[in-house]
Amino acid sequence: MNTPSRPSTYSISELAKEFDITTRTIRFYEDKGLLTPQRKGQTRVYSPADRTKLKLILRGKRLGFSLEESRDIIEMYSPGQNNEQQLKALINHVRSRKATLQQQLHDIELMMLDLQESEQRCIDALQEMGVTDT
């Protein structure tokens, strides 16, 4: 059974379409030095490695990592090498992000309780005044 092969290069519009982002976003990552496509005249030509980097940048963004954090982790990768340092760094970033989100979740839960209590006090005060439509 033949499996479709991946292209050896990608255009900016192909990557934008595949990842559902704008070409402007890809150029932004280029300007930040995260992607370095080849050039054929004015045309950008992205390699499979560029595609993988873009995928990792977008995953890092979804996880709440800064571009600098994503860059640091991506730059640690060495194909064919033991990437223990990269994996440990990624684990540390993930754990840190999880701790931050847990704290934010706790803060939101407390805020929701405060809002519910405030709302109920207002409803009770209105009821004491004889107002029934709240």
Side-chain angles (χ1 to χ4, degrees):
M1 175 163 101
N2 287 343
T3 57
S5 62
R6 287 257 182 219
S8 59
T9 61
Y10 304 86
S11 70
I12 192 169
S13 58
E14 288 171 330
L15 289 178
K17 183 177 180 182
E18 177 180 350
F19 292 106
D20 195 26
I21 57 176
T22 64
T23 56
R24 183 175 180 174
T25 298
I26 295 172
R27 287 190 299 272
F28 173 79
Y29 295 140
E30 262 186 70
D31 291 344
K32 295 294 180 181
L34 294 162
L35 297 173
T36 54
Q38 299 290 318
R39 297 279 187 162
K40 285 187 181 173
Q42 295 287 12
T43 305
R44 293 169 168 84
V45 180
Y46 296 87
S47 69
D50 290 321
R51 181 189 170 278
T52 299
K53 283 182 184 179
L54 180 58
K55 185 176 182 178
L56 293 173
I57 292 163
L58 295 172
R59 182 177 298 149
K61 182 179 175 185
R62 278 193 313 276
L63 294 174
F65 296 164
S66 69
L67 284 180
E68 199 58 43
E69 289 170 324
S70 290
R71 176 198 318 268
D72 292 345
I73 293 167
I74 291 167
E75 287 179 352
M76 288 180 180
Y77 179 71
S78 296
Q81 300 290 317
N82 174 338
N83 288 292
E84 178 182 348
Q85 183 181 1
Q86 180 200 34
L87 294 171
K88 286 181 177 180
L90 180 56
I91 288 169
N92 287 336
H93 283 290
V94 166
R95 287 178 178 164
S96 175
R97 185 71 183 132
K98 283 172 57 179
T100 299
L101 289 172
Q102 285 292 340
Q103 182 60 54
Q104 289 174 338
L105 181 59
H106 177 73
D107 293 345
I108 289 169
E109 288 168 346
L110 289 176
M111 189 180 297
M112 287 298 292
L113 287 173
D114 286 345
L115 288 168
Q116 288 170 352
E117 289 172 7
S118 294
E119 180 183 30
Q120 190 59 53
R121 281 194 303 273
C122 291
I123 290 170
D124 292 346
L126 286 170
Q127 287 175 346
E128 286 177 17
M129 290 184 229
V131 178
T132 58
D133 60 335
T134 54

